[in-house]
Amino acid sequence: MGIGWEWALSVGAIVIFVAGVEAWKACKRRFGWFAGEEEVEEEKLGLRQGFVSFSKSFSRSKSMGSESAGEKLASVTVTEAMFSRITHPAFVAGGFFLALALLLYRPQRFLPDLLPIDSPPSASKIQADLGPKLCQGAEIYFPGSAEFGEYNERWSKAAEGDILVVVVPGCQRDVATASLTDAKVEFANSFNLPFLAIGRGHGTPSALGTIKNGVLIKITSLDSIDIAADGKTATMGGGVYVDQVLAKLAESNKVCEKRDGPCSLSIPSRYMGYAGLISDNIVEMDVVTANGSEIKVSATSNPDLYWGMRGAGHNFGIVTKFQYKIFDYPKGQDTYYVTYIFTEDKLEAFFTQLNRLINDGNLPKDISSYALYILIPSISPKVSIYDASAENESSDIAQPVILFQLYYFGTPEEALPYVQPFLDLQPASASNATTAYKNLAHEATGTGVGDPVCAGGTTKAFFAAGLKRYNFETYSVKGMNAVDEASSAYPHREDNLLVSFTVLYPPSPSNDAIALKYGPQARRIWAEGETPARKLSVYTNFAFGTEKLQEVYGYEPWRLERLLALKKEWDPRGRFAFYNPLTGEDSPVHPNYTAGAVYQPWMGLLTGSSIISTTNAFIHQLFSS
C-alpha cells in the first residue's frame, strides 16, 4: 500500500531535525564555537551532549571529590542525565511529529471523545471510503432509497433511531477487521460514528432509538448453517433466524433450542427442559470487538468473555458466526397443542390450575405453555361502563379473555393428563391440533415469518418480570436449573416464569406516555404479588430500558463487578451502547446514548468545565476545516 504522506512528512522531519542537531554540535566541537561557560556547564551535568554521551558523563561524575560526595553527585548526575535524554530536543521533536502524523492520519480515531460527530461524512465520502473495502455482494444504502427503508425497518417503530447508512455484509470479513482492510465497525470508529448490528430487527429496548448518525450493520446476509459430521453441533452465521434454522435442522431430524417466534434467537425456549438455555448451548463464537478486531470466544479461548457473552453479549461485541449444540428430536418432530379461551370469571381457577402444573419449577420437560389477555369480539363479554361524555351516559366495553395454549412433545394420549384439568374448567372455546415443530410458531401462535405479529409499523413496549408462580408464558426449567448459575452471565435461573405487559400502538408521544404510565405499574403488581414479595427481575431481551442495572443483570455484587470489569476491558469507550447497556463509572456509555454529562476517562485529566469546553472547541476548529 505504501506509506501515506502524513507518515512520510513526520518521519522525514524527525530525520532532518536529528541530523541537523547532531551536525550543529559536531561543528561546535570541531571549531570551538561558543566555548566558555557553556563548556563548563556541559562538563558538570552533561546536559548538551549527543546520544552517546551518557556513559561518559556518568564515569566522569563518579571520579569527582570524596567517595561519598562522588557517589551523591553521581546519583544526581545520573538522574539529570536520564532526564536530559528524555527531554533531548530530538526526542521532543520526534514525539511531536509522531503525534502530528497520527492526528493528520485519523484525528477522530485518536481523539474520539473530544471530536464531535454532529457533522457526519457525506454519502459520497462513505461510498468512496467504505465501498472498495467490502466483499463482493456487499450493499450500502442511504436514506431516501427503498432498500434503506426496508433494511432499517424494525419490529418496533421506536427502535429505528437516526441511521446515516445501512451496510449489508457480503461476507464475514465485512464485519471484522481482516489484514489491512477496514471493516464497517472500523469504518464507524474512524469517523467516531455510533454503530449498531441487527438481525431481523426484533429488539425493543428504548436505547435502540437513541442512536444518532449511526452506521447500521444488517447481518441477516450472514445466514449459513452447516451441520457437523458427528451431528452434535451446527455452525451458523450471526444473521440466522428461528424458522430458517428449524427448517434446515429438520432435514437431518435435528433440533436445537429456540425462541417461540422466528423473528430472533433469544434465551428461554420450548426445549429448555431438555437442554437448558439457548446461551447454555453455544460452544464457540466469532466476535467482532469494539476496536474492529475479530476473535474466537469459547470456554478455552477468552473464557472470561465467553462467560459474559452468554447473558450480556450485546455489551461486548458482534457475533458473526457461532457453533451451537443440536440434538435429535426426543419423540419425533410432531408437537401436539391445545388452545383454550377462558372468560374473566374463570381467572382464579385457571391460574390456580396453571400453578399446579408448573409445580414450583418442576414442569415436565415435554411441556411448555403460553397465555395472554386478548380481545376476541365473538367471545369477549361486554359490560356497561358509565361514560359522562356519551349521550346515554354508558357504553358497552368488551372485556379481555385469556387465550391459553399448552404444547406437548408427544402424542395426544400422553398429553391428556396435563390438559384434562383445564378442560374441566369448561373453557369458552377449545381446540387441538398436531403439527411439525418447525411450523409451530406459524400454525399455533401466529408468530411465523409473514404473520401480522412480526410486522413493523407500530411501537411495541415490553414491561417484563420474572416470577416463581403465576404466569403468562411458561417453559420447563429443569434443563436450565441443572446448569450452575455462576457458569454464565445470565442471572435469572431462579425465575420459573416469564411474564410481560406488552403494549402495541401507533407511534405518538401521547401513546408513549400511556404505555410508560401503565406498563411499570403492571409488572410491579406481579413482583409484589408473589409470596414473599421479590425484587424485580427482568429478562434482558424484554427489558424496556428504564430498569436499574441490578434488575436486568442480577443482584449479586460479584456478578455485576465481573460484568463491569469485562465492559471496561472489551469496550472501554462504550461503543456497544444501544441495547440495555452496562453503565457505570468504569463503563461509560456512548455520548449519544443519553443527554447530559457522561463520564469519559480523559475527563479526569482536566479540571474545570471551561477547560473541557475550550479543548472541545479548539479541536473542532482545528479539524473541521
Side-chain angles (χ1 to χ4, degrees):
M1 292 179 61
I3 187 171
W5 68 267
E6 306 94 342
W7 293 103
L9 172 65
S10 298
V11 173
I14 294 172
V15 172
I16 294 172
F17 183 87
V18 173
V21 169
E22 293 301 318
W24 170 250
K25 291 191 292 185
C27 289
K28 288 199 300 177
R29 289 193 295 268
R30 175 67 177 80
F31 299 107
W33 295 344
F34 305 104
E37 292 183 2
E38 184 179 288
E39 184 177 355
V40 173
E41 189 69 16
E42 285 186 12
E43 186 69 22
K44 290 175 61 180
L45 299 177
L47 295 178
R48 295 178 184 155
Q49 298 179 28
F51 286 106
V52 297
S53 61
F54 177 82
S55 61
K56 293 181 181 179
S57 99
F58 177 77
S59 60
R60 185 164 56 244
S61 62
K62 280 206 67 171
S63 62
M64 298 173 61
S66 64
E67 182 178 352
S68 59
E71 290 178 352
K72 182 177 180 180
L73 184 57
S75 175
V76 173
T77 305
V78 168
T79 303
E80 291 174 334
M82 291 176 65
F83 180 76
S84 73
R85 297 308 136 229
I86 297 173
T87 59
H88 192 286
F91 281 114
V92 175
F96 172 79
F97 285 114
L98 179 61
L100 180 62
L102 295 176
L103 291 176
L104 289 173
Y105 179 62
R106 287 267 175 89
Q108 283 159 312
R109 180 173 181 177
F110 295 98
L111 289 176
D113 299 315
L114 293 177
L115 288 170
I117 58 176
D118 51 4
S119 299
S122 64
S124 58
K125 174 68 172 173
I126 294 174
Q127 187 70 52
D129 282 10
L130 182 59
K133 300 171 183 176
L134 300 179
C135 293
Q136 184 177 3
E139 302 167 358
I140 302 176
Y141 298 112
F142 300 97
S145 66
E147 293 86 354
F148 179 90
E150 175 187 349
Y151 283 116
N152 189 40
E153 184 181 24
R154 316 294 176 81
W155 187 56
S156 175
K157 194 72 175 175
E160 291 182 358
D162 177 16
I163 300 300
L164 182 68
V165 57
V166 171
V167 183
V168 182
C171 66
Q172 187 175 339
R173 182 167 59 89
D174 283 346
V175 183
T177 298
S179 184
L180 297 177
T181 301
D182 287 341
K184 293 177 289 303
V185 172
E186 185 66 18
F187 165 81
N189 276 335
S190 68
F191 285 101
N192 198 30
L193 297 174
F195 58 85
L196 176 67
I198 67 170
R200 297 184 65 84
H202 194 247
T204 59
S206 56
L208 287 167
T210 66
I211 192 170
K212 181 180 179 182
N213 292 328
V215 176
L216 183 69
I217 307 170
K218 185 76 170 181
I219 64 171
T220 48
S221 56
L222 304 178
D223 59 355
S224 61
I225 303 174
D226 299 306
I227 300 176
D230 62 7
K232 295 182 178 180
T233 62
T235 300
M236 309 181 190
V240 298
Y241 61 97
V242 170
D243 272 14
Q244 173 193 17
V245 171
L246 291 183
K248 178 66 175 179
L249 295 183
E251 296 174 1
S252 303
N253 197 40
K254 297 291 183 179
V255 70
C256 67
E257 286 286 38
K258 74 157 189 95
R259 181 75 180 113
D260 296 355
C263 307
S264 64
L265 283 174
S266 187
I267 288 186
S269 63
R270 301 210 184 282
Y271 270 101
M272 192 164 64
Y274 282 92
L277 298 169
I278 288 177
S279 56
D280 293 335
N281 290 273
I282 296 175
V283 179
E284 183 181 79
M285 294 166 272
D286 288 355
V287 178
V288 177
T289 62
N291 65 6
S293 60
E294 186 178 37
I295 60 174
K296 296 284 186 182
V297 178
S298 67
T300 57
S301 177
N302 298 298
D304 284 344
L305 187 57
Y306 178 67
W307 177 88
M309 289 292 295
R310 295 173 303 130
H314 46 275
N315 285 282
F316 308 117
I318 302 170
V319 177
T320 57
K321 183 185 292 186
F322 60 101
Q323 185 182 11
Y324 194 60
K325 294 178 184 177
I326 60 177
F327 49 93
D328 294 329
Y329 277 95
K331 294 183 177 181
Q333 297 193 22
D334 285 345
T335 301
Y336 173 75
Y337 68 97
V338 299
T339 302
Y340 301 149
I341 297 176
F342 296 95
T343 51
E344 188 178 9
D345 59 307
K346 303 293 179 64
L347 180 104
E348 291 188 10
F350 167 74
F351 280 109
T352 297
Q353 179 55 43
L354 189 56
N355 280 328
R356 288 196 188 109
L357 176 68
I358 296 166
N359 192 21
D360 290 328
N362 292 308
L363 185 71
K365 62 182 180 180
D366 290 312
I367 294 177
S368 62
S369 69
Y370 174 78
L372 57 93
Y373 284 114
I374 191 172
L375 291 173
I376 302 178
S378 61
I379 298 177
S380 295
K382 294 182 179 180
V383 296
S384 296
I385 303 295
Y386 174 78
D387 186 355
S389 64
E391 292 183 1
N392 59 5
E393 297 186 348
S394 67
S395 59
D396 291 335
I397 303 297
Q399 297 298 294
V401 295
I402 301 169
L403 186 152
F404 172 68
Q405 289 187 328
L406 184 146
Y407 316 96
Y408 186 82
F409 304 131
T411 66
E413 292 75 20
E414 293 172 328
L416 186 59
Y418 304 106
V419 301
Q420 186 62 52
F422 293 98
L423 275 174
D424 292 342
L425 298 178
Q426 299 180 343
S429 173
S431 63
N432 61 78
T434 297
T435 187
Y437 183 63
K438 66 179 182 179
N439 300 325
L440 187 64
H442 170 65
E443 296 188 13
T445 63
T447 57
V449 171
D451 287 332
V453 73
C454 273
T458 60
T459 293
K460 284 90 172 176
F462 285 114
F463 298 92
L467 304 176
K468 285 282 192 181
R469 295 171 58 83
Y470 172 63
N471 81 310
F472 290 105
E473 190 168 12
T474 310
Y475 307 94
S476 174
V477 295
K478 287 185 176 181
M480 177 184 72
N481 290 336
V483 178
D484 183 3
E485 65 176 10
S487 65
S488 74
Y490 184 75
H492 306 302
R493 292 182 188 273
E494 67 175 15
D495 294 344
N496 296 328
L497 317 171
L498 176 61
V499 301
S500 177
F501 182 85
T502 306
V503 191
L504 290 76
Y505 56 89
S508 76
S510 59
N511 287 341
D512 290 341
I514 295 172
L516 285 171
K517 177 180 179 180
Y518 292 106
Q521 290 183 25
R523 70 174 173 189
R524 186 175 65 250
I525 291 172
W526 284 325
E528 293 176 352
E530 289 207 304
T531 305
R534 301 176 65 216
K535 295 179 180 179
L536 183 61
S537 171
V538 183
Y539 167 48
T540 312
N541 284 353
F542 282 7
F544 178 75
T546 56
E547 297 84 358
K548 296 178 182 179
L549 202 65
Q550 295 89 340
E551 293 169 348
V552 176
Y553 293 105
Y555 288 90
E556 307 97 323
W558 67 266
R559 190 184 299 275
L560 289 177
E561 289 171 5
R562 188 172 179 182
L563 283 171
L564 289 173
L566 283 172
K567 185 69 170 177
K568 183 176 182 179
E569 177 182 359
W570 292 100
D571 186 21
R573 288 174 52 205
R575 300 292 276 164
F576 296 108
F578 301 105
Y579 198 95
N580 296 325
L582 284 163
T583 57
E585 185 174 277
D586 291 332
S587 54
V589 298
H590 192 277
N592 272 357
Y593 171 62
T594 182
V598 177
Y599 174 86
Q600 295 291 345
W602 49 266
M603 286 187 177
L605 304 177
L606 304 174
T607 56
S609 59
S610 61
I611 296 179
I612 297 176
S613 300
T614 303
T615 305
N616 274 288
F618 171 74
I619 297 297
H620 186 214
Q621 178 94 14
L622 187 60
F623 294 107
S624 61
S625 58

